Amino acid sequence: MERGEPLPPPRPRQPPSGRCAAKDRAAYEAKLEGLAATVGHLAPDLLGVQEVGAPEALADLVERLDGEWHTALSKHADRRGIRVGFLSRRPLTVTEDRTAFPEHLPRVQVEDDGTTIRRMGRGALAVRWSPAAGQSVDVVVCHLKSKLLTFPGNRHSTDDEELRARYAAYALYRRAAEAVTLRAMADRLLQGDGAAHEVIVMGGPQRRVRGRHHADPVRAARLPDRHRGLQGHRPRGPETAVEPRSAHP
């Protein structure tokens, strides 16, 4: 899923390079204010974020939020420089920042010329999070390959339907391999006992995916009781707040 736009670096006065909706400092500030207002309205305890460009942009967002927030960002951005991460009211401990496909999964073809990959396009970030004293939850945030097809020459459209079909298959292979990688991460965290180990998986291709314990494309969780977050409770909308849809085709 590649809907949305990366937050631009805050430092330059001129429009940042690359695809970005904020064309100047004023647009950047307005974008941050809108994001901060949405996060404030949702009041999540934990927020999974996608499409984060410069780490400074996330820090600028945190400065506009009420109260104390903790952040964690993947070190594995894609070729556009965007990555996933977390905002949390409570401290986070990073336990894994993964791109590699599982050991027994073969390389995946992604181009007509035979190019193959063995890693996800963006890192999947796992953290250990304590929603309350004496409790521990493992949470993973990811951003899987989108449905957006990229054809030879970095084109996103074609009149060649046979080419389109092949590249749709390559994208599907890649998404499937990335989903298997997330399944492996969740299995490791569950340690074979979903009753004893609480796990949340956030993000993905914007579709609900159920695992042994809990896997859901939840971006934010407000936690009303001891098992808060395990029901995937949140109002509709954080993905729109974190990733406005206007920048990427």
Side-chain angles (χ1 to χ4, degrees), residues 4 7 16 25 29 31 54 68 83 85 88 97 100 127 140-141 143 155 170 172 200 218 220 223 225:
L7 288 172
R25 185 74 183 190
E29 295 290 342
K31 181 179 176 67
E68 181 180 4
R83 72 208 80 200
S88 172
D97 189 3
V127 297
V140 182
V141 65
H143 183 176
R155 294 177 293 116
Y170 298 151
L172 180 60
I200 300 173
V218 173
L223 307 181
D225 53 36

Side-chain angles (χ1 to χ4, degrees), residues 12-27:
R13 293 289 176 175
Q14 298 301 317
S17 61
R19 287 182 284 182
C20 176
K23 301 302 182 184
D24 53 32
R25 185 74 183 190

Side-chain angles (χ1 to χ4, degrees), residues 37-134:
T38 302
V39 174
H41 173 72
L42 295 171
D45 294 294
L46 178 67
L47 182 70
V49 295
Q50 300 176 333
E51 303 276 355
V52 179
E56 294 85 357
L58 186 62
D60 283 351
L61 174 60
V62 170
E63 287 179 0
R64 289 160 173 78
L65 301 177
D66 293 333
E68 181 180 4
W69 290 85
H70 303 269
T71 64
L73 279 176
S74 172
K75 295 180 180 179
H76 300 295
D78 68 8
R79 61 185 179 182
R80 295 183 297 157
I82 62 172
R83 72 208 80 200
V84 300
F86 289 100
L87 283 168
S88 172
R89 289 287 193 178
R90 300 180 65 86
L92 300 164
T93 300
V94 173
T95 58
E96 187 173 12
D97 189 3
R98 178 168 180 166
T99 60
F101 293 160
E103 179 182 0
H104 298 293
L105 199 66
R107 299 180 69 97
V108 173
Q109 183 175 346
V110 294
E111 298 281 355
D112 276 350
D113 63 8
T115 298
T116 61
I117 60 173
R118 58 186 302 178
R119 296 181 178 276
M120 302 171 67
R122 291 170 279 263
L125 186 66
V127 297
R128 185 152 294 137
W129 178 63
S130 176

Side-chain angles (χ1 to χ4, degrees), residues 108-167:
V108 173
Q109 183 175 346
V110 294
E111 298 281 355
D112 276 350
D113 63 8
T115 298
T116 61
I117 60 173
R118 58 186 302 178
R119 296 181 178 276
M120 302 171 67
R122 291 170 279 263
L125 186 66
V127 297
R128 185 152 294 137
W129 178 63
S130 176
Q135 291 182 256
S136 178
V137 180
D138 288 297
V139 190
V140 182
V141 65
C142 65
H143 183 176
L144 304 186
K145 170 69 182 85
S146 75
K147 292 182 178 179
L148 178 67
L149 303 182
T150 303
F151 304 105
N154 200 33
R155 294 177 293 116
H156 296 296
S157 64
T158 181
D159 294 326
D160 185 336
E161 295 306 318
E162 186 175 349
L163 178 69
R164 185 190 307 278
R166 290 197 306 275
Y167 274 76

